[in-house]
Amino acid sequence: MFHLQAGLTGTAMTTVTESNTAQTMRSGSLPVFATPSMCALMEEAACAAVANCLEEGTGTVGISLSITHSAPTALGKQVEAEAQLTSVEGRKLTFAVIAKDDKGTIGKGIHERFIIDNAKFMAKLNK
């Protein structure tokens, strides 16, 4: 069925700009990397970890994300997220996620995704 196994990793990178700050995203009032932006980057890394292992016509959707955001990142700095697949339980995938900037870890946590049939998922949505 699926060719997924624990240990797969994926990464995603971004630069902190006005568009992904807490101030712009309304998740805070300061011009620093926003927690919602970090969450999205972690999800992007998880998607990248399994993208080449999914059957044609399938995808994944996020079902939970439990993270800490422990340090700020300034405008102009790069942030990299890494996701490691730690568990495959049927169609449920669990990842350890971490985000870092040039000073070290800025956030980490656990992210779960569910494998879906893209067409069925969209058909259900459009009912």
Side-chain angles (χ1 to χ4, degrees), residues 2 7 33 44 55 64 81 88-89 92 94-95 98-99 101 107 111:
F2 301 105
F33 193 53
E44 183 181 347
E55 292 180 359
S64 76
V88 179
E89 300 172 50
K92 186 174 95 171
T94 303
F95 299 85
I98 189 165
D101 64 15
H111 177 44

Side-chain angles (χ1 to χ4, degrees), residues 6 15 17 28 35 39 51 66-68 70 72 80-81 87-88 98 105 116:
T15 300
T17 65
T35 301
C39 292
S66 176
I67 58 103
T68 59
S70 55
E80 179 177 20
S87 172
V88 179
I98 189 165
T105 299
I116 54 133

